[in-house]
Amino acid sequence: MRVLQVVAELGTGGAEAVVLGLAEGMASRGHRTWVASDRGWRVPLLAEVPGVDHVRVPLAPGGPVALAASAARLLAWAPGRPVDIVHAHNIRATLAAHPVARARRAPLVTTVHGLGAQDYPRAVRVLRRCSDLVVAVSDAVAEDLERAGLPKARIRVVENSVSAPAVRPDDAAHLPDLPHLPASGPIVLCAARMTAQKRQDLLLRGWAAREHRTGHLLLAGDGPERPRHEALARELGLGADVTFLGDRDDVGALLGRADLLALPSDWEGLPIGVLEALAADVPVLASAVGGLPDLDDVLALVPSDGDDRELGERWGRALDRELAGTAGQEQRQRTARGRALVDTRFSPDRMVEAYLALDEALVTSTYR
């Protein structure tokens, strides 16, 4: 099978990790794969995979100009390249991929990795017009799509997958050099792009609201909200207790230094970062959104309703609870269950085989 995957960029993010995992898994099974995206630190990783090529499209910037340029670039690339199926990740990539899918008479599959509640109606209008089949990364995302008007018959659920990080927590020789960290006290990591969705501001407010002011907060990621978060950290007087690391390609190593992963998002589908933490035996504290409540047996969850003040205080109490010495036994039990869950339910082979089954059914049927 010959597959074209389209994603906005290939930097830090769950959709980006899924694209790389699918490309590697499909290539290892003998399928020819192209990945179209803008730049990102994962692009060089594609060059290491036989049978996978990268197609540069300027899709990362917002707005119609970049979108139209990306669609035109794909149309110019397509002649002479027989593509059996086009697989877009999220709505913007779907709009860029739709013309080339129709030009090649190839089915278009869209994976929705999660959306804000206000974005589902518009997204469904695009999906109804452009996509032959829509994959939701969790039951919660599938329910939101159906509620917004996408027929259930056009939705399938394929959960994301994760491999164990390359660096394990006990592999101290390969941990990143972070000499500014305190010699003692818990390390909390938030690894996510700094966008409005991820709500690092709630984590900063929670960090300031803690009763027990020990430990260090690492914020890995970059994005449009970073200046605002840095200003908030100064306003809250957090000083040397918080480090902004910028975009990182060594999250596995950072997990090796972390005692807790925190993810305070407003919405999620099924975040790869949480699965990576579970695979690394790192406890997780996250907002109760998207597909995460389905994993409540292995996570500590923070209710997501309320105003910013209430949510910040709630995160402060949750951080105190998770970082207290008395939480150790419960956390060990959760992380043990989480690692077992990753090994069975979220294995890369399971995800790749599920997508291939959908792709093959579309290519060999009269679905359209």
Side-chain angles (χ1 to χ4, degrees):
M1 189 183 308
R2 294 156 298 196
V3 181
L4 170 64
Q5 293 196 75
V6 184
V7 66
E9 55 188 320
L10 275 176
T12 299
E16 293 86 341
V18 168
V19 168
L20 182 59
L22 283 173
E24 292 173 337
M26 290 181 173
S28 70
R29 290 161 173 80
H31 301 285
R32 183 73 170 90
T33 302
W34 296 273
V35 176
S37 79
D38 215 321
R39 297 183 176 92
W41 62 263
R42 296 186 199 267
V43 171
L45 301 180
L46 289 175
E48 302 173 6
V49 184
V52 178
D53 288 317
H54 182 250
V55 182
R56 170 77 200 290
V57 294
L59 192 53
V65 174
L67 181 61
S70 297
R73 173 73 180 89
L74 288 173
L75 284 171
W77 167 88
R81 292 181 174 90
V83 174
D84 297 312
I85 197 155
V86 179
H87 185 174
H89 295 264
N90 288 324
I91 306 307
R92 187 169 172 78
T94 298
L95 290 168
H98 180 246
V100 73
R102 293 301 170 259
R104 304 309 300 169
R105 299 183 180 275
L108 174 58
V109 176
T110 295
T111 294
V112 176
H113 293 267
L115 295 165
Q118 71 281 2
D119 296 323
Y120 274 95
R122 185 185 73 85
V124 164
R125 289 195 294 271
V126 172
L127 296 169
R128 289 179 70 109
R129 185 176 77 251
C130 297
S131 303
D132 296 296
L133 192 68
V134 177
V135 175
V137 298
S138 68
D139 288 334
V141 172
E143 291 165 5
D144 286 336
L145 287 167
E146 187 178 359
R147 192 177 300 117
L150 189 65
K152 186 174 183 179
R154 293 178 63 180
I155 305 171
R156 303 290 186 273
V157 175
V158 178
E159 293 178 320
N160 293 337
S161 75
V162 68
S163 300
V167 178
R168 304 286 300 142
D170 56 354
D171 191 3
H174 295 87
L175 297 179
D177 181 20
L178 297 172
H180 53 278
L181 292 183
S184 61
I187 305 298
V188 176
L189 172 66
C190 178
R193 290 197 71 240
M194 292 196 175
T195 61
Q197 168 205 353
K198 298 298 184 178
R199 294 307 305 270
Q200 286 93 342
D201 59 306
L202 295 181
L203 183 55
L204 290 168
R205 294 184 187 281
W207 196 252
R210 292 173 302 148
E211 181 179 349
H212 305 290
R213 300 291 295 272
T214 61
H216 197 88
L217 175 62
L218 296 176
L219 296 173
D222 212 338
E225 293 293 302
R226 181 173 175 174
R228 190 170 72 90
H229 296 333
E230 291 177 329
L232 178 61
R234 292 191 295 270
E235 177 187 326
L236 295 171
L238 297 179
D241 291 345
V242 177
T243 300
F244 289 81
L245 297 173
D247 205 12
R248 303 286 291 226
D249 61 1
D250 59 349
V251 171
L254 291 171
L255 285 168
R257 293 295 290 267
D259 298 288
L260 181 73
L261 180 84
L263 187 66
S265 305
D266 269 348
W267 53 266
E268 289 287 352
L270 184 60
I272 291 289
V274 167
L275 301 183
E276 288 177 335
L278 296 177
D281 299 319
V282 176
V284 176
L285 177 66
S287 296
V289 295
L292 293 176
D294 292 339
L295 311 180
D296 63 349
D297 187 48
V298 301
L299 309 177
L301 295 175
V302 179
S304 58
D305 58 309
D307 59 28
D308 286 358
R309 181 191 60 80
E310 182 180 0
L311 287 169
E313 292 174 354
R314 191 178 294 160
W315 269 90
R317 293 191 296 271
L319 287 164
D320 274 331
R321 183 177 63 250
E322 286 300 301
L323 299 178
T326 54
Q329 180 61 29
E330 179 189 347
Q331 284 181 348
R332 285 191 291 272
Q333 291 173 349
R334 287 203 315 262
T335 54
R337 291 193 298 266
R339 181 60 190 272
L341 187 66
V342 166
D343 290 343
T344 53
R345 180 171 163 183
F346 301 112
S347 72
D349 284 344
R350 178 210 51 78
M351 182 187 74
V352 172
E353 291 296 338
Y355 273 107
L356 281 174
L358 293 178
D359 291 348
E360 289 169 357
L362 281 175
V363 169
T364 58
S365 73
T366 56
Y367 180 84
R368 286 183 54 78

